Amino acid sequence: MAKEELLRWMGRPSLLGSEEEVPPEVPPPPYFQDLLLDELEGLFLASQDGFGLLSFFRNLPNHKTAVLHRQAVCRELEGKASSLRGFLRSMEEVRGRLGLSQKARHPWQKALYHLQAARAYLAGVGALGRDWSLLPPHSPGLRAYAAHLEAYLQSPGFSNLRREAETVWQDLQGLRYVLHVHEGRLTLRAYQGEGDYGRRIMETFRPFFGPSSPTFPEPGMEEGPILNHIEEWLLDHLALLFPGPFARLQSFFATHQGFLDPVLARLEREVRFFLAYLDFLSPLRAAGLPFTYPEPADTPPFFVEGAFDLVLAAKLVAEGKVPIPNDFRVEREHILVITGPNQGGKTTFARMVGQVHHLFSLGLPVPGRRARLLLPDRILSHFEVRENPEDLRSKLESDLLRLRDILEQATARSLLILNEPLASATLVDARMIGRFLLEKIRDKGSLALVVTFLDELARLPGTRSLVAEVDPSDPSRRTFHIREKPAEGKAYALALAARHGLTYEALKRRLGGGA
């Protein structure tokens, strides 16, 4: 990596390959529900609530530099993420202690939780700095963060924070006092060399903790934001008995409210996104499913080998099964037309193609063995939607208006996923509108995948025919393989009806009808 490029990324370190901050809330794109990407984001980001990671999944960078930048980060995290996982655990402790500090009602307890959070933060960033100094990251995104961290750890602000936190902590750890309990009354005074009766009591009762316990419980306050009145009394009187250490604690609390470095906080957020996705893929990879980093390309061929619907795969692997892989390939013809029997995997194939392009645009590994893809400027989809009773337009009119909007937005770099777009039209109208629709897509030069029951659309100029196959020995059994071959015009509806006992003769027998 050239020095000037590294300095550019050091100006604003980012694992996303963008100098612009991703907004904390980005609405899902219109195609999300059609492609089941709303389910996918829920599957792998459910445990990351509160970090605004949905925005990372919904916001596409749409330029090749950012995609390659993210791919480099993701590849490195696949093989070397233990240091960053330790950093995330430290940050979880930091946020947990800060949360307790905010919830606590007693001022000294607020300050003590805040001090614990600062010490966890110092330990976490210090450990990450040491790990990266021994084994520096090599992807541009992580290298930029490593350069920032190195400078931050040597800065006067960090040194002051570490020194003051350690001083206050040692002051508090060094406090020695005597708590005297007699006839329901508490008295507190400085320690003057008396015997530790609490220790003697614990030693006396050690046998009662069992042989499996190597240590015995140490006295201390229970974890939680609420103190009882005795604990509050104790803290207040300790502050009166030792004014110096508690004054330094109060000063630390007031001075270092915003001790979190915003750049490292952004690192935490971005790393969480990548690791959440990679952790989601882990059981799928263990089941033998392949994932790859597509090569960005501006000209055909575009392809994916051995791809599958990621949402379906997650469900099947949880049941001990694996999905049927399929290939996707575009050469001279930019419009793929898929025909074949119902329930043959056509819609799943269309969703797979859309999912792969979305994940590729995010710089994430995609389902498949090998891939070379066009980076789309936008993804546009048309899947069947339920009729809205308040919409006075017909279903066909609504579909045509949606298709018009898609054509108006489409460019030569757009991906169109159309699933039975003319199902609401009569056969004659569907043929006429279908020809017009595909001619417009061809004129635009868009990359398009069209699922349809109209075989003649697969024979139009500029199209490539794909067919959902069935088992030749049992036409009622779907193979879920999508192959490139001429449309054959077979729906195999009779075989499917016979398999489920829904032929005319079978129904007549079941209903007890006559001849």
Side-chain angles (χ1 to χ4, degrees), residues 277 281 284 289-292 294 304-311 313 326 352 355-356 359 364-371:
Y277 182 74
L281 299 190
L284 306 184
L289 297 178
F291 290 86
T292 186
V304 178
E305 297 175 356
F308 46 89
D309 180 324
L310 195 49
V311 177
N326 277 293
M352 175 269 288
Q355 289 176 13
V356 163
L359 295 170
L364 301 173
V366 308
R369 297 187 305 273
R370 193 165 68 98

Side-chain angles (χ1 to χ4, degrees), residues 37-113:
L37 289 168
D38 54 340
E39 291 190 29
L40 180 57
E41 70 177 10
L43 287 173
F44 83 93
L45 291 177
S47 63
Q48 304 295 324
D49 191 27
F51 290 96
L53 303 189
L54 294 179
S55 297
F56 291 159
F57 191 64
R58 297 171 179 180
N59 189 66
L60 299 183
N62 291 329
H63 56 91
K64 186 166 66 173
T65 303
V67 170
L68 294 174
H69 183 88
R70 295 179 183 207
Q71 287 182 345
V73 168
C74 217
R75 281 191 175 99
E76 183 168 9
L77 290 177
E78 285 198 58
K80 186 178 63 177
S82 58
S83 298
L84 284 164
R85 291 187 186 276
F87 171 68
L88 295 185
R89 287 192 294 270
S90 296
M91 293 300 289
E92 287 171 3
E93 182 179 355
V94 171
R95 298 187 185 283
R97 294 290 168 176
L98 289 177
L100 290 172
S101 178
Q102 292 175 353
K103 294 177 182 177
R105 66 188 181 189
H106 194 277
W108 290 124
Q109 191 185 21
K110 284 180 176 291
L112 286 167
Y113 279 135

Side-chain angles (χ1 to χ4, degrees), residues 220-273:
M221 291 188 300
E222 293 185 5
E223 189 73 24
I226 305 301
L227 298 179
N228 60 43
H229 66 287
I230 297 176
E231 292 168 330
E232 290 181 349
W233 179 92
L234 180 61
L235 274 178
D236 289 335
H237 283 73
L238 283 173
L240 294 173
L241 188 61
F242 303 104
F246 276 82
R248 286 187 284 276
L249 172 63
Q250 179 59 39
S251 175
F252 183 89
F253 180 66
T255 305
H256 297 289
Q257 274 296 302
F259 63 79
L260 288 176
D261 178 61
V263 176
L264 297 181
R266 185 169 67 244
L267 170 64
E268 178 199 8
R269 185 176 174 224
E270 293 176 350
V271 167
R272 283 186 180 279
F273 173 72

Side-chain angles (χ1 to χ4, degrees), residues 1 9 13-16 69 72-73 138-146 267:
M1 185 180 189
W9 288 116
S14 172
L15 303 186
L16 304 178
H69 183 88
V73 168
H138 54 78
S139 64
L142 288 172
R143 283 175 62 191
Y145 272 117
L267 170 64

Side-chain angles (χ1 to χ4, degrees), residues 183-245:
E183 295 182 353
R185 295 177 60 84
L186 297 178
T187 57
L188 190 69
R189 62 178 174 80
Y191 176 65
Q192 297 176 353
E194 296 88 345
D196 188 345
Y197 291 104
R199 174 67 57 179
R200 293 182 186 178
I201 291 173
M202 299 304 294
E203 289 288 357
T204 300
F205 285 91
R206 178 195 288 270
F208 295 97
F209 296 112
S212 61
S213 178
T215 61
F216 49 83
E218 292 291 342
M221 291 188 300
E222 293 185 5
E223 189 73 24
I226 305 301
L227 298 179
N228 60 43
H229 66 287
I230 297 176
E231 292 168 330
E232 290 181 349
W233 179 92
L234 180 61
L235 274 178
D236 289 335
H237 283 73
L238 283 173
L240 294 173
L241 188 61
F242 303 104

